[in-house]
Amino acid sequence: MTRKKKEAQLSALMEQIREHFNGVILVAEQGKPLLYEAVGFAELSQGQEPVRTLTTESMFELASVSKPITALGIIRLHQAGLLELDDPVSRWLPELPYPGITIRHLLTHTSGLPDYIALFSEKWNPAQIAVNADVLNMLAAHRPAPLFAPQDSWMYSNTGYIMLAILIERISGQPYADFLSEQIFQPLGMARTCIYNRRLDPGAVPSDYAWGYVYRLEHGGYVLPDAVPAMNYVHYLDGLQGDGMVNSTAMDLLRLDRALYDDKFIQPQLREAMFTPVTLHNGETFDYGFGWLIEQHPQLGRAVSHSGGWPGYATFLKRYIERDLTIILLQNGERDYNYTQQLLRSVEQALADEPMEVPQAAAPRTLFPLAAEDYEPFLGEYLFQDEQGQSLSAEVFIEHSQLCMRLGNGMTFVLLPISPTRFYEQQTATELEFGEIEASKSSRLIWYEHDSDSVAQRVR
């Protein structure tokens, strides 16, 4: 397919999604943009009116798209001869109370380290903003059980990438932000990229900054996550770096994409290792390398990617390394995760010269009037179990006159009524339903997720 045809298809797609999209999208071939547009607001008034619109140079918090950049910092240290990938982490972090973990385990999410977010939700003073040293100190003080022995399994680990940021500082002798700036951002001309913890350091806001908003039915539109009590973790976890908190622009991420093809910046054998699936002790592989998910797209070939999600931001970077195609998606006002996934599929269809399906926005939901006493049949503890026998508890309770659900991993969600027994969870854009109500108690909870349904039985 010709370049002009790709540009025309992507332009047509953009026109059809414009009213449902808020962010910057950049699609490139061999580093040259096929589509590069900014749509929507960068800042809203308290009355939810746009104060400033996005531009293609707007700076977004990347959330977990920071992880490939943290991993790249470790690779730069390795190239400089300052570490080996199979070095024990204990060499630099002797206070970490989990033996046998190597740097490679941290990079590939095979360390088995417990989730710091769950630990902090239970043990941390939410009035205080945590920094990376606090994560290490909390693990040392409370010693939550590891999830598994190193390289026995794979589990996405934000904790592991906090540890990588601490390693960067201890090995380089520089703050994480300064090291990335010196080793990556400055050499690649990423002048609009930095580490920015806006609540920890409420100084000057970067120019053309995209404030991240969440859509909340109970607020009647978009608000900053700081205004949502259930999202208080955006405040007390704001000082952490490594698993998130890189802020950047679409064009700077394209500069990073170009550098990853450059043998002078990344040695070819290291690049290949970055994009090789990890092998577990039992011989199974998982399609994750050093900060990158790996896949084989049926039409576009080998691809590496990472997505990011944090209240107010939804980000995505995907590189089709056999075809030299790049998709960069930065949003600061996402309403529907499923819609974003449809949009990404549509872009891929356009690039692969396949019939393009236009994303369909979900029908707007409206709140059903329920009082706190109407929630009584639903309160209690439920247990989800998957086919592999893995279980996850869910406590349903009332807080601030709202129905809430706290999972066993510490994550808490507000459940908004859309019928007498069915509820909408805005953070995941999913619905839940309580069923089999007898003697004023529901005995099961169904979670209608995007690709499957999960059923939990009441246990208390």
Short mmCIF file of all heavy atoms in Angstrom, two decimals, residues 16-60:
data_model
loop_
_atom_site.label_atom_id
_atom_site.label_comp_id
_atom_site.label_asym_id
_atom_site.label_seq_id
_atom_site.Cartn_x
_atom_site.Cartn_y
_atom_site.Cartn_z
N GLN A 16 -13.51 10.50 11.93
CA GLN A 16 -14.65 9.76 12.48
C GLN A 16 -14.59 9.58 13.99
O GLN A 16 -15.61 9.30 14.62
CB GLN A 16 -14.76 8.39 11.80
CG GLN A 16 -15.16 8.50 10.32
CD GLN A 16 -15.21 7.15 9.64
OE1 GLN A 16 -14.18 6.55 9.38
NE2 GLN A 16 -16.41 6.67 9.36
N ILE A 17 -13.40 9.75 14.58
CA ILE A 17 -13.28 9.56 16.03
C ILE A 17 -13.11 10.88 16.78
O ILE A 17 -13.06 10.87 18.01
CB ILE A 17 -12.09 8.64 16.37
CG1 ILE A 17 -10.76 9.33 16.02
CG2 ILE A 17 -12.21 7.29 15.67
CD1 ILE A 17 -9.56 8.75 16.74
N ARG A 18 -13.03 11.97 16.08
CA ARG A 18 -12.64 13.24 16.67
C ARG A 18 -13.46 13.60 17.92
O ARG A 18 -12.93 14.08 18.92
CB ARG A 18 -12.74 14.35 15.61
CG ARG A 18 -12.06 15.64 15.98
CD ARG A 18 -12.04 16.58 14.79
NE ARG A 18 -11.20 16.08 13.72
CZ ARG A 18 -9.88 16.24 13.67
NH1 ARG A 18 -9.27 16.89 14.65
NH2 ARG A 18 -9.18 15.78 12.67
N GLU A 19 -14.76 13.38 17.87
CA GLU A 19 -15.60 13.81 18.99
C GLU A 19 -15.47 12.88 20.20
O GLU A 19 -15.93 13.21 21.29
CB GLU A 19 -17.06 13.90 18.56
CG GLU A 19 -17.68 12.59 18.14
CD GLU A 19 -19.14 12.77 17.75
OE1 GLU A 19 -19.97 12.96 18.66
OE2 GLU A 19 -19.43 12.72 16.53
N HIS A 20 -14.84 11.71 20.03
CA HIS A 20 -14.71 10.76 21.14
C HIS A 20 -13.26 10.65 21.64
O HIS A 20 -13.00 9.85 22.53
CB HIS A 20 -15.18 9.38 20.70
CG HIS A 20 -16.59 9.34 20.22
ND1 HIS A 20 -17.66 9.59 21.05
CD2 HIS A 20 -17.12 9.09 18.99
CE1 HIS A 20 -18.78 9.49 20.36
NE2 HIS A 20 -18.48 9.19 19.11
N PHE A 21 -12.37 11.44 21.09
CA PHE A 21 -10.94 11.29 21.40
C PHE A 21 -10.41 12.57 22.01
O PHE A 21 -10.76 13.68 21.57
CB PHE A 21 -10.17 10.97 20.11
CG PHE A 21 -8.68 10.83 20.29
CD1 PHE A 21 -8.14 9.71 20.90
CD2 PHE A 21 -7.82 11.84 19.86
CE1 PHE A 21 -6.76 9.59 21.06
CE2 PHE A 21 -6.45 11.73 20.02
CZ PHE A 21 -5.92 10.60 20.63
N ASN A 22 -9.58 12.43 23.05
CA ASN A 22 -8.91 13.59 23.65
C ASN A 22 -7.45 13.23 23.87
O ASN A 22 -7.13 12.45 24.76
CB ASN A 22 -9.56 13.97 24.97
CG ASN A 22 -9.29 15.41 25.35
OD1 ASN A 22 -10.10 16.29 25.10
ND2 ASN A 22 -8.14 15.68 25.95
N GLY A 23 -6.58 13.75 23.02
CA GLY A 23 -5.17 13.42 23.17
C GLY A 23 -4.38 13.75 21.92
O GLY A 23 -4.82 14.51 21.06
N VAL A 24 -3.20 13.16 21.83
CA VAL A 24 -2.31 13.32 20.68
C VAL A 24 -2.03 11.93 20.11
O VAL A 24 -1.76 10.99 20.86
CB VAL A 24 -0.98 14.00 21.07
CG1 VAL A 24 -0.02 14.04 19.90
CG2 VAL A 24 -1.24 15.42 21.59
N ILE A 25 -2.13 11.82 18.80
CA ILE A 25 -1.83 10.55 18.13
C ILE A 25 -0.78 10.80 17.05
O ILE A 25 -0.87 11.78 16.30
CB ILE A 25 -3.10 9.90 17.55
CG1 ILE A 25 -2.79 8.55 16.91
CG2 ILE A 25 -3.82 10.83 16.57
CD1 ILE A 25 -4.03 7.74 16.56
N LEU A 26 0.22 9.92 17.02
CA LEU A 26 1.27 10.02 16.02
C LEU A 26 1.48 8.60 15.46
O LEU A 26 1.76 7.68 16.21
CB LEU A 26 2.57 10.56 16.63
CG LEU A 26 3.69 11.02 15.69
CD1 LEU A 26 4.71 11.87 16.46
CD2 LEU A 26 4.42 9.88 15.00
N VAL A 27 1.34 8.47 14.15
CA VAL A 27 1.61 7.22 13.45
C VAL A 27 2.68 7.52 12.42
O VAL A 27 2.53 8.45 11.61
CB VAL A 27 0.35 6.66 12.77
CG1 VAL A 27 0.65 5.31 12.12
CG2 VAL A 27 -0.80 6.53 13.77
N ALA A 28 3.77 6.75 12.46
CA ALA A 28 4.91 7.05 11.58
C ALA A 28 5.37 5.81 10.83
O ALA A 28 5.21 4.68 11.29
CB ALA A 28 6.07 7.63 12.40
N GLU A 29 5.94 6.06 9.67
CA GLU A 29 6.58 5.02 8.88
C GLU A 29 8.00 5.47 8.58
O GLU A 29 8.22 6.57 8.07
CB GLU A 29 5.81 4.80 7.57
CG GLU A 29 6.37 3.69 6.69
CD GLU A 29 5.51 3.46 5.46
OE1 GLU A 29 5.08 4.45 4.83
OE2 GLU A 29 5.26 2.29 5.14
N GLN A 30 8.98 4.64 8.97
CA GLN A 30 10.39 4.99 8.83
C GLN A 30 10.69 6.35 9.45
O GLN A 30 11.49 7.13 8.93
CB GLN A 30 10.82 4.94 7.37
CG GLN A 30 10.70 3.54 6.78
CD GLN A 30 11.11 3.48 5.32
OE1 GLN A 30 11.20 4.50 4.64
NE2 GLN A 30 11.36 2.27 4.84
N GLY A 31 10.03 6.63 10.57
CA GLY A 31 10.27 7.86 11.31
C GLY A 31 9.57 9.09 10.79
O GLY A 31 9.69 10.17 11.38
N LYS A 32 8.81 8.95 9.70
CA LYS A 32 8.12 10.10 9.11
C LYS A 32 6.62 9.97 9.38
O LYS A 32 6.01 8.95 9.05
CB LYS A 32 8.39 10.18 7.61
CG LYS A 32 9.86 10.41 7.30
CD LYS A 32 10.12 10.41 5.80
CE LYS A 32 11.60 10.60 5.50
NZ LYS A 32 11.89 10.54 4.04
N PRO A 33 6.01 10.99 9.99
CA PRO A 33 4.60 10.88 10.38
C PRO A 33 3.65 10.67 9.21
O PRO A 33 3.73 11.36 8.19
CB PRO A 33 4.31 12.23 11.07
CG PRO A 33 5.65 12.68 11.58
CD PRO A 33 6.63 12.24 10.52
N LEU A 34 2.78 9.69 9.37
CA LEU A 34 1.63 9.50 8.48
C LEU A 34 0.41 10.22 9.03
O LEU A 34 -0.47 10.64 8.28
CB LEU A 34 1.31 8.00 8.37
CG LEU A 34 2.37 7.08 7.78
CD1 LEU A 34 2.03 5.62 8.09
CD2 LEU A 34 2.48 7.29 6.28
N LEU A 35 0.35 10.31 10.34
CA LEU A 35 -0.73 11.01 11.05
C LEU A 35 -0.12 11.61 12.31
O LEU A 35 0.60 10.93 13.03
CB LEU A 35 -1.85 10.04 11.42
CG LEU A 35 -2.98 10.60 12.30
CD1 LEU A 35 -3.83 11.60 11.50
CD2 LEU A 35 -3.87 9.47 12.83
N TYR A 36 -0.40 12.88 12.56
CA TYR A 36 0.15 13.56 13.72
C TYR A 36 -0.81 14.66 14.09
O TYR A 36 -0.80 15.73 13.50
CB TYR A 36 1.54 14.11 13.37
CG TYR A 36 2.32 14.73 14.51
CD1 TYR A 36 2.13 14.35 15.84
CD2 TYR A 36 3.29 15.70 14.26
CE1 TYR A 36 2.86 14.91 16.86
CE2 TYR A 36 4.04 16.26 15.28
CZ TYR A 36 3.81 15.86 16.58
OH TYR A 36 4.55 16.43 17.60
N GLU A 37 -1.68 14.39 15.07
CA GLU A 37 -2.73 15.34 15.41
C GLU A 37 -2.96 15.41 16.90
O GLU A 37 -2.77 14.43 17.63
CB GLU A 37 -4.06 14.95 14.73
CG GLU A 37 -4.10 15.24 13.25
CD GLU A 37 -5.53 15.34 12.73
OE1 GLU A 37 -6.39 15.92 13.43
OE2 GLU A 37 -5.78 14.81 11.64
N ALA A 38 -3.39 16.59 17.33
CA ALA A 38 -3.81 16.82 18.71
C ALA A 38 -5.27 17.23 18.69
O ALA A 38 -5.67 18.08 17.89
CB ALA A 38 -2.96 17.92 19.34
N VAL A 39 -6.06 16.61 19.56
CA VAL A 39 -7.50 16.88 19.61
C VAL A 39 -7.92 17.04 21.06
O VAL A 39 -7.58 16.20 21.90
CB VAL A 39 -8.31 15.73 18.97
CG1 VAL A 39 -9.80 15.99 19.08
CG2 VAL A 39 -7.91 15.51 17.52
N GLY A 40 -8.65 18.10 21.37
CA GLY A 40 -9.26 18.22 22.68
C GLY A 40 -8.56 19.18 23.62
O GLY A 40 -7.76 20.02 23.21
N PHE A 41 -8.86 19.03 24.89
CA PHE A 41 -8.43 19.99 25.90
C PHE A 41 -7.14 19.56 26.58
O PHE A 41 -6.88 18.38 26.78
CB PHE A 41 -9.52 20.18 26.96
CG PHE A 41 -9.97 18.90 27.62
CD1 PHE A 41 -9.22 18.33 28.65
CD2 PHE A 41 -11.13 18.26 27.24
CE1 PHE A 41 -9.61 17.16 29.26
CE2 PHE A 41 -11.54 17.08 27.85
CZ PHE A 41 -10.77 16.53 28.86
N ALA A 42 -6.34 20.56 26.96
CA ALA A 42 -5.15 20.33 27.78
C ALA A 42 -5.42 20.73 29.23
O ALA A 42 -4.76 20.24 30.14
CB ALA A 42 -3.97 21.12 27.24
N GLU A 43 -6.39 21.64 29.41
CA GLU A 43 -6.70 22.12 30.75
C GLU A 43 -8.16 22.57 30.77
O GLU A 43 -8.64 23.19 29.81
CB GLU A 43 -5.77 23.27 31.14
CG GLU A 43 -5.93 23.76 32.54
CD GLU A 43 -4.93 24.85 32.92
OE1 GLU A 43 -4.07 25.18 32.09
OE2 GLU A 43 -5.01 25.35 34.06
N LEU A 44 -8.84 22.24 31.86
CA LEU A 44 -10.24 22.62 32.03
C LEU A 44 -10.40 23.55 33.22
O LEU A 44 -9.65 23.47 34.20
CB LEU A 44 -11.11 21.37 32.26
CG LEU A 44 -11.19 20.34 31.14
CD1 LEU A 44 -11.96 19.12 31.63
CD2 LEU A 44 -11.84 20.93 29.90
N SER A 45 -11.41 24.40 33.17
CA SER A 45 -11.77 25.21 34.33
C SER A 45 -12.52 24.34 35.32
O SER A 45 -12.91 23.20 35.00
CB SER A 45 -12.65 26.39 33.90
OG SER A 45 -13.92 25.89 33.46
N GLN A 46 -12.76 24.83 36.51
CA GLN A 46 -13.51 24.05 37.48
C GLN A 46 -14.94 23.81 37.00
O GLN A 46 -15.59 22.86 37.42
CB GLN A 46 -13.51 24.75 38.84
CG GLN A 46 -12.14 24.71 39.51
CD GLN A 46 -12.18 25.19 40.94
OE1 GLN A 46 -13.14 25.83 41.37
NE2 GLN A 46 -11.12 24.90 41.68
N GLY A 47 -15.41 24.66 36.10
CA GLY A 47 -16.71 24.46 35.49
C GLY A 47 -16.65 23.53 34.30
O GLY A 47 -17.63 23.42 33.55
N GLN A 48 -15.49 22.90 34.09
CA GLN A 48 -15.27 21.89 33.05
C GLN A 48 -15.33 22.48 31.64
O GLN A 48 -15.65 21.78 30.68
CB GLN A 48 -16.26 20.73 33.20
CG GLN A 48 -16.15 20.04 34.55
CD GLN A 48 -17.11 18.87 34.70
OE1 GLN A 48 -17.90 18.59 33.82
NE2 GLN A 48 -17.04 18.19 35.82
N GLU A 49 -14.97 23.75 31.54
CA GLU A 49 -14.85 24.37 30.23
C GLU A 49 -13.38 24.40 29.83
O GLU A 49 -12.51 24.64 30.67
CB GLU A 49 -15.40 25.80 30.26
CG GLU A 49 -16.91 25.89 30.47
CD GLU A 49 -17.68 25.23 29.35
OE1 GLU A 49 -17.27 25.39 28.17
OE2 GLU A 49 -18.67 24.53 29.64
N PRO A 50 -13.06 24.14 28.54
CA PRO A 50 -11.66 24.16 28.13
C PRO A 50 -11.01 25.54 28.33
O PRO A 50 -11.56 26.56 27.92
CB PRO A 50 -11.73 23.81 26.63
CG PRO A 50 -13.03 23.09 26.47
CD PRO A 50 -13.96 23.72 27.45
N VAL A 51 -9.88 25.53 29.03
CA VAL A 51 -9.10 26.75 29.23
C VAL A 51 -7.99 26.80 28.19
O VAL A 51 -7.61 27.87 27.71
CB VAL A 51 -8.49 26.76 30.65
CG1 VAL A 51 -7.51 27.92 30.82
CG2 VAL A 51 -9.58 26.83 31.70
N ARG A 52 -7.50 25.62 27.81
CA ARG A 52 -6.37 25.52 26.89
C ARG A 52 -6.52 24.23 26.11
O ARG A 52 -6.91 23.20 26.67
CB ARG A 52 -5.07 25.53 27.71
CG ARG A 52 -3.79 25.65 26.94
CD ARG A 52 -2.62 26.00 27.87
NE ARG A 52 -2.60 25.19 29.08
CZ ARG A 52 -2.06 23.98 29.17
NH1 ARG A 52 -1.49 23.44 28.08
NH2 ARG A 52 -2.07 23.30 30.30
N THR A 53 -6.24 24.27 24.82
CA THR A 53 -6.36 23.07 23.99
C THR A 53 -5.00 22.39 23.84
O THR A 53 -3.95 23.01 24.00
CB THR A 53 -6.92 23.41 22.60
OG1 THR A 53 -6.07 24.38 21.99
CG2 THR A 53 -8.33 23.96 22.70
N LEU A 54 -5.05 21.11 23.52
CA LEU A 54 -3.83 20.35 23.28
C LEU A 54 -3.16 20.81 21.99
O LEU A 54 -3.83 21.23 21.04
CB LEU A 54 -4.14 18.86 23.16
CG LEU A 54 -4.58 18.14 24.44
CD1 LEU A 54 -5.11 16.75 24.09
CD2 LEU A 54 -3.43 18.04 25.43
N THR A 55 -1.84 20.69 21.96
CA THR A 55 -1.08 20.85 20.72
C THR A 55 -0.26 19.58 20.52
O THR A 55 -0.16 18.75 21.43
CB THR A 55 -0.13 22.06 20.78
OG1 THR A 55 1.00 21.73 21.63
CG2 THR A 55 -0.83 23.30 21.32
N THR A 56 0.35 19.44 19.37
CA THR A 56 1.17 18.24 19.14
C THR A 56 2.41 18.23 20.04
O THR A 56 3.03 17.18 20.22
CB THR A 56 1.61 18.14 17.67
OG1 THR A 56 2.20 19.39 17.28
CG2 THR A 56 0.41 17.84 16.77
N GLU A 57 2.75 19.36 20.65
CA GLU A 57 3.90 19.43 21.55
C GLU A 57 3.49 19.38 23.02
O GLU A 57 4.33 19.61 23.90
CB GLU A 57 4.72 20.69 21.28
CG GLU A 57 5.68 20.56 20.11
CD GLU A 57 6.75 19.49 20.36
OE1 GLU A 57 7.54 19.65 21.31
OE2 GLU A 57 6.78 18.50 19.62
N SER A 58 2.23 19.06 23.30
CA SER A 58 1.79 18.95 24.70
C SER A 58 2.53 17.81 25.39
O SER A 58 2.76 16.76 24.82
CB SER A 58 0.29 18.70 24.76
OG SER A 58 -0.45 19.84 24.33
N MET A 59 2.87 18.05 26.67
CA MET A 59 3.61 17.08 27.47
C MET A 59 2.63 16.30 28.35
O MET A 59 1.80 16.87 29.05
CB MET A 59 4.63 17.79 28.36
CG MET A 59 5.46 16.85 29.23
SD MET A 59 6.53 17.73 30.42
CE MET A 59 7.75 18.43 29.30
N PHE A 60 2.74 14.96 28.32
CA PHE A 60 1.87 14.06 29.06
C PHE A 60 2.68 13.23 30.04
O PHE A 60 3.82 12.85 29.76
CB PHE A 60 1.18 13.06 28.12
CG PHE A 60 0.18 13.66 27.16
CD1 PHE A 60 0.61 14.42 26.07
CD2 PHE A 60 -1.18 13.44 27.33
CE1 PHE A 60 -0.30 14.95 25.18
CE2 PHE A 60 -2.10 13.97 26.44
CZ PHE A 60 -1.67 14.73 25.36
#
